[in-house]
Amino acid sequence: MFIVLEGIDGTGKSTQSQLLAEWFRSQGREVVTSREPTDGPWGSKLRQSAASGRLSPEDELDYFLKDRSQHVDELIKPSLSAGKVVILDRYYFSTMAYQGSRGFDPQEIRSQNEAFAPVPDHLFLLDIDVDTALSRIGGRGDTANEFEQRDSLQKCRDIFLSLKDEPFAHLIDSHGSLEEVQEAIRSTLA
Ligand code: TYD
């Protein structure tokens, strides 16, 4: 089973993916958790760029695709073939949302990815409003930056929400406690 957790920053994806992994393990299932960007060479360059200056939109998109391609070949496909449960914190839906918010066409990004990346069995869209996201991540800065950040997070949220009617997608209101959100994910899967 291939499960992906997505959402804007501050939705609690990484905690939720760990809690979900524990739940599967308690049922005797073998679980692999991972995240994107990965800790591989392309992913590391992307994480560094967050501190040392952002890449051009074209290079950024290219690096995310290379990072994912390696992730698919080296971890995702082999783990699924071995019958493991794979839980990802971010996947190509983040590229649709974030690089989409930088001006690329989300649908084109989707096709580009689905040419090599398997579609998940379950996509959980963890949703919170942008004000809650900003207060959770302690988003501060001068007024212009704050507006800029708010605007691009809103675009990302809208792109994630546009996926809610996909047959494999589940929209999860994530304003509640960690326990409530985890319960909503587990009951959906159960
Ligand atoms: P994030 O999960 O927030 O990393 P961290 O654990 O370091 O907080 O991901 C880092 C950023 O990368 C996040 O703001 C979203 C962005 N991102 C993209 O822009 N495109 C992508 O395809 C992915 C996977 C992530």
Side-chain angles (χ1 to χ4, degrees):
M1 194 185 294
F2 185 18
I3 298 170
V4 173
L5 274 61
E6 290 279 14
I8 57 176
D9 311 83
T11 44
K13 294 176 300 301
S14 60
T15 309
Q16 294 301 338
S17 72
Q18 294 312 321
L19 292 172
L20 191 58
E22 279 170 28
W23 186 63
F24 277 109
R25 288 191 183 113
S26 75
Q27 298 169 37
R29 300 290 300 267
E30 255 196 281
V31 185
V32 173
T33 57
S34 189
R35 63 173 187 170
E36 291 188 0
T38 70
D39 296 317
W42 299 105
S44 303
K45 284 191 183 82
L46 283 159
R47 285 182 191 280
Q48 276 160 22
S49 77
S52 63
R54 219 165 157 180
L55 300 162
S56 72
E58 290 73 19
D59 282 348
E60 194 177 73
L61 177 60
D62 184 48
Y63 284 24
F64 274 114
L65 290 171
K66 288 183 165 134
D67 185 45
R68 182 161 306 120
S69 167
Q70 206 162 29
H71 201 201
V72 165
D73 290 344
E74 292 175 9
L75 186 129
I76 299 172
K77 280 187 174 168
S79 304
L80 291 172
S81 303
K84 295 175 188 168
V85 176
V86 175
I87 302 175
L88 294 191
D89 172 355
R90 297 196 185 280
Y91 196 37
Y92 63 84
F93 310 99
S94 276
T95 320
M96 292 173 67
Y98 286 84
Q99 281 58 58
S101 80
R102 282 193 101 179
F104 292 99
D105 175 11
Q107 289 316 318
E108 219 165 280
I109 293 176
R110 181 175 182 174
S111 323
Q112 245 178 326
N113 277 276
E114 288 180 353
F116 71 91
V119 177
D121 299 303
H122 296 282
L123 165 65
F124 287 96
L125 299 166
L126 305 190
D127 181 59
I128 54 174
D129 65 79
V130 169
D131 285 332
T132 304
L134 286 172
S135 74
R136 284 190 187 176
I137 60 186
R140 277 215 301 262
D142 65 28
T143 316
N145 269 340
E146 168 112 4
F147 273 120
E148 217 179 299
Q149 203 182 10
R150 186 177 298 271
D151 184 52
S152 64
L153 272 184
Q154 185 62 55
K155 279 189 197 144
C156 290
R157 183 189 185 202
D158 290 343
I159 296 171
F160 282 131
L161 286 174
S162 75
L163 291 158
K164 71 178 172 37
D165 295 324
E166 292 293 328
F168 53 86
H170 314 282
L171 182 62
I172 304 284
D173 182 332
S174 303
H175 291 92
S177 66
L178 287 177
E179 292 76 17
E180 284 166 338
V181 172
Q182 182 63 203
E183 186 45 40
I185 296 174
R186 289 182 187 184
S187 58
T188 303
L189 286 168

